[in-house]
Amino acid sequence: MSLLRAPELPVDDPGEPPTTSWRLFTWLATRRKGLAASVLVSAVFSLGLVPVMPIFLTGAVDDGIRGRDWGALLAWAGALTLAGSVAAVSIVLHHRLTVWWRHDAQYRVLQLATRKTARLGSRLRRQTTTGSVVSVGVTDVVSIGRAIESLAPTVGCVTGIVAVAVLLFGMSASLGLTVFIGVIAVAAITGPMLRHLQARYGAYRRDIGTVTDRAADIVAGLRVLRGVGGEDRFNAAYRRDSQRLKRSGFGLAAPGAWIDAISEGAPAILLGAVVWMSARLVAADEITVGQMVAAFGYTAALLMPVRWLMGTAMTIIQGEVACAKVCELLVLPERDAPRDPLQGPESGAELHDPESELTLAPGLTAVATADTDAAAAIFDRLAGLAPSEAVFGRVPLARMASEELRRRILPGDHDAYLFAGTLAAVIGGRDAKAAVTTAAADDVVDALPGGLAAEMDDQARTLSGGQRQRLRLARALAADPEVLLLLEPTSAVDSHTESRITERLTGFRHGRTTAVVSASPLWLGRADQVVFVQEGKVAATGTHAELAASRPDYRALVNRELS
């Protein structure tokens, strides 16, 4: 990457990060070592050079003004102008490089979080909350970017403080010692406050996740909540959580205010001490007037670095807390990759779950059960999303590579997330139009301006629940997997639309394995085989007519669906 050109983002491979907060923070900051080094070097020139510029005042006052040497005065003034120009150019370059550095870290965090959620699949909801994941992508990414950006002024300010202390030591040991002790005293005072702030910010970040999760639950189930009269109850819970978040935010104010007060007051006290001491040294002829002016300039210039150091310390603490939250997501257990993966079976193999005794063969299988959670657990095992002894042909799913497994077996969640973008991109696949027709979603597409080229927002919120469900089904069909597992794919549509879907899907998926969990007679009557599941195990297998004639409990389930 050229240092005068922005890095290409997103990166092809974000890498394998460490899973502790400070190590992750350091890892993110050093992914582009050349860029990081350039940022820090430019910080030394742009921020570290400013506090030492008063060195030119010593010569200007002593040689030029007191010595009445106009040539020396012009030379020192020219040197000061040149140093100021270098600092100005460095500031511009530093700002550009820092923005690139921050964006690289933020994009990398987003890629890591996205890759992790994709690997977890349906396990994600069982291991963390929606609010936690949303907060990583909205709050934590910003905090981490700002914290990494703060490393540069920290290095520049520390360089300037050390340089000033050295210059003052060279001028007078007492002046240098005063500045050194003053900076150490500020660090000693603010250290406990920063640790206190870190603890309170951690609590504040947890409350943000809770409130975000509560809001997501309310939005996702708003229609249901209104239907059962639960909207007020959830709103009251949201108000309670938001009030706790407000109190957590107020809890940050006290340590933050003390740190701000010290960052403003300590340099002013230090400046007064240095002026008083340097004036006494001038009176005792131990330093010159020019050195006294320079000492005042050095100490006055420290006001900005000390203030910035306090601010960057708080920002870095926030970044560390955000990194800890990202690590909580990154360490969630995934499906263990097999050490010696086996090649999957030939196309057309049966898929079998020993725990439930369910076997899926090519064709349409309808799974009828009163317990959809148990059916979802069976599908998770058949898709390799949960540990099991399930086999594909004679090959254990646990021994197959994840890439092949995901390509050949697809669990279609009727509540899966719909991302923003054009409708064609949301559906994907090589033949989105055919998938839309099979899912009986032509009317949805025709009603949108631009059809498949229409832009959709996250979760397609402008559409009804039934329309979104059909788009999710179209997306699953467009993927064209060898085995498609659908959990109640038409629960939100009317019977006429459901009838069209069942008829079209049979032809669209001909020759491939499709399993549908549904107690709707439309699916049961169309299926090649119906599997009746009770308490998580296969109780009976046959056609819809056979089971209806031989199983009263099966008839009761179907009749309940019709009523």
Side-chain angles (χ1 to χ4, degrees):
M1 183 200 80
S2 171
L3 291 179
L4 297 179
R5 211 173 80 188
E8 295 293 333
L9 295 172
V11 295
D12 294 333
D13 181 10
E16 293 297 330
T19 53
T20 57
S21 57
W22 283 117
R23 290 182 62 195
L24 176 62
F25 182 75
T26 304
W27 183 85
L28 290 169
T30 55
R31 287 307 84 201
R32 297 186 186 270
K33 293 180 174 56
L35 177 60
S38 301
V39 170
L40 298 180
V41 170
S42 64
V44 171
F45 281 95
S46 59
L47 301 175
L49 186 61
V50 172
V52 301
M53 282 189 182
I55 192 174
F56 300 104
L57 296 178
T58 301
V61 171
D62 291 340
D63 299 338
I65 297 177
R66 292 188 64 193
R68 299 184 182 276
D69 185 344
W70 298 109
L73 180 61
L74 289 174
W76 283 108
L80 179 60
T81 302
L82 179 62
S85 301
V86 170
V89 173
S90 298
I91 288 173
V92 174
L93 180 62
H94 171 72
H95 179 71
R96 173 177 291 190
L97 294 174
T98 302
V99 170
W100 293 345
W101 197 27
R102 180 186 72 215
H103 284 178
D104 179 76
Q106 290 177 328
Y107 264 89
R108 209 171 290 267
V109 172
L110 283 175
Q111 286 185 262
L112 291 171
T114 303
R115 183 179 69 182
K116 183 66 178 184
T117 54
R119 287 176 176 176
L120 288 170
S122 64
R123 292 185 179 189
L124 180 64
R125 293 184 180 180
R126 295 194 293 269
Q127 299 184 49
T128 188
T129 63
T130 302
S132 296
V133 177
V134 170
S135 295
V136 166
V138 176
T139 304
D140 296 329
V141 165
V142 175
S143 297
I144 291 171
R146 288 176 177 172
I148 287 177
E149 186 180 34
S150 297
L151 292 175
T154 299
V155 171
C157 292
V158 169
T159 301
I161 291 172
V162 171
V164 166
V166 170
L167 290 171
L168 287 175
F169 263 112
M171 184 185 304
S172 168
S174 59
L175 287 177
L177 194 61
T178 299
V179 172
F180 180 77
I181 292 175
V183 172
I184 294 298
V186 170
I189 294 172
T190 56
M193 294 182 184
L194 290 173
R195 287 192 293 273
H196 189 49
L197 180 67
Q198 182 178 15
R200 290 198 174 184
Y201 188 77
Y204 177 71
R205 171 57 184 80
R206 287 191 295 273
D207 289 340
I208 288 177
T210 301
V211 171
T212 306
D213 193 48
R214 182 80 68 183
D217 287 344
I218 291 174
V219 172
L222 190 56
R223 294 184 180 181
V224 175
L225 292 174
R226 285 176 175 169
V228 300
E231 184 180 1
D232 291 340
R233 179 181 176 184
F234 270 78
N235 285 342
Y238 180 81
R239 282 193 293 270
R240 184 175 62 251
D241 292 339
S242 62
Q243 289 299 312
R244 185 170 62 249
L245 176 62
K246 183 178 73 173
R247 289 192 294 272
S248 295
F250 287 159
L252 296 173
W258 277 107
I259 291 171
D260 287 341
I262 293 172
S263 66
E264 295 289 340
I269 295 173
L270 189 61
L271 177 62
V274 168
V275 169
W276 179 77
M277 292 183 64
S278 59
R280 290 180 61 84
L281 292 172
V282 169
D285 288 330
E286 295 184 21
I287 62 173
T288 66
V289 174
Q291 288 176 320
M292 175 184 171
V293 173
F296 173 81
Y298 293 146
T299 311
L302 284 180
L303 291 173
M304 180 180 67
V306 172
R307 187 182 303 117
W308 279 6
L309 278 178
M310 296 298 121
T312 57
M314 289 190 289
T315 303
I316 290 173
I317 284 174
Q318 294 172 359
E320 185 274 335
V321 173
C323 282
K325 290 299 178 181
V326 173
C327 288
E328 289 179 7
L329 173 63
L330 296 180
V331 299
L332 294 178
E334 305 173 12
R335 175 181 182 265
D336 294 332
R339 293 185 178 180
D340 299 311
L342 298 177
Q343 182 72 29
E346 295 292 331
S347 179
E350 292 184 342
L351 188 60
H352 177 68
D353 173 40
E355 185 173 336
S356 64
E357 301 178 354
L358 174 63
T359 299
L360 300 179
L364 177 60
T365 298
V367 179
T369 180
D371 188 353
T372 55
D373 289 339
I378 295 173
F379 275 13
D380 280 350
R381 294 195 295 270
L382 289 173
L385 299 176
S388 73
E389 300 297 323
V391 293
F392 194 12
R394 295 184 178 180
V395 181
L397 291 182
R399 295 292 305 279
M400 289 180 63
S402 296
E403 293 78 9
E404 182 183 8
L405 198 59
R406 294 284 74 78
R407 185 179 70 252
R408 300 183 65 177
I409 304 174
L410 174 64
D413 187 352
H414 74 287
D415 196 31
Y417 199 90
L418 291 172
F419 294 95
T422 64
L423 187 54
V426 170
I427 295 172
R430 287 176 291 183
D431 195 350
K433 185 172 179 54
V436 166
T437 300
T438 303
D442 289 310
D443 60 321
V444 181
V445 176
D446 293 340
L448 295 172
L452 287 173
E455 288 287 339
M456 308 297 296
D457 60 359
D458 284 334
Q459 287 287 59
R461 295 184 180 89
T462 56
L463 303 180
S464 69
Q467 290 173 324
R468 288 196 297 269
Q469 190 176 59
R470 283 182 280 163
L471 290 182
R472 292 185 180 100
L473 176 58
R475 181 172 62 182
L477 293 170
D480 198 26
E482 184 178 335
V483 179
L484 179 59
L485 309 174
L486 299 173
L487 183 66
E488 295 189 332
T490 53
S491 59
V493 303
D494 59 76
S495 58
H496 297 290
T497 303
E498 186 179 37
S499 177
R500 291 197 301 271
I501 292 173
T502 57
E503 180 180 354
R504 295 172 184 176
L505 185 141
T506 305
F508 187 85
R509 294 282 303 168
H510 179 72
R512 284 159 292 180
T513 302
T514 307
V516 178
V517 174
S518 177
S520 168
L522 291 170
W523 283 109
L524 300 174
R526 179 70 63 174
D528 298 308
Q529 73 164 345
V530 176
V531 178
F532 183 39
V533 173
Q534 288 183 315
E535 297 181 356
K537 291 189 176 294
V538 174
T541 302
T543 65
H544 173 51
E546 292 169 348
L547 293 178
S550 62
R551 300 283 308 212
D553 45 2
Y554 175 81
R555 284 199 307 272
L557 174 65
V558 176
N559 291 335
R560 187 176 67 184
E561 177 70 19
L562 290 172
S563 62

